[in-house]
Amino acid sequence: MSTIIGPETEALATNAISNKPLQGRSLASYERMLDATKALMLERGSEEFTLQDVSDLGAVSIGSIYLRFQSKDRLLHAVIARELED
């Protein structure tokens, strides 16, 4: 099934990520970041966790997170955009 997303959601997703992963391991790490962030958002709320929490839960380094996202807000935007696309 094809999903059509609106321009606002597409812009949110596009602007959130600084460096889109292209290779398998990078994609897997990226997905773990998003999954961990979503889980923490649902468990604690968007302001009640740190990037270190994302790092620990997602088994990714802080450096990897900052390679992909300029800030925690950008990471949150990417998670929200992914959920809106789904």
Side-chain angles (χ1 to χ4, degrees):
M1 181 167 112
S2 172
T3 303
I4 299 174
I5 60 174
E8 296 86 8
T9 303
E10 190 170 350
L12 182 66
T14 301
N15 293 332
I17 189 163
S18 299
N19 189 2
K20 187 153 178 86
L22 301 175
Q23 298 179 348
R25 282 187 352 185
S26 294
L27 285 170
S29 174
Y30 173 75
E31 289 298 322
R32 288 194 312 272
M33 286 176 212
L34 296 181
D35 291 342
T37 302
K38 178 183 173 184
L40 289 164
M41 286 173 71
L42 292 172
E43 179 184 317
R44 302 181 189 176
S46 63
E47 298 300 319
E48 300 301 320
F49 65 90
T50 65
L51 291 179
Q52 185 63 53
D53 295 327
V54 174
S55 172
D56 294 342
L57 184 61
V60 296
S61 71
I62 291 288
S64 293
I65 295 170
Y66 278 112
L67 176 67
R68 304 286 174 221
F69 302 98
Q70 292 178 349
S71 66
K72 179 181 170 185
D73 286 340
R74 293 282 179 100
L75 177 56
L76 295 172
H77 292 167
V79 171
I80 293 165
R82 183 175 74 166
E83 290 303 305
L84 290 173
E85 288 175 2
D86 290 345

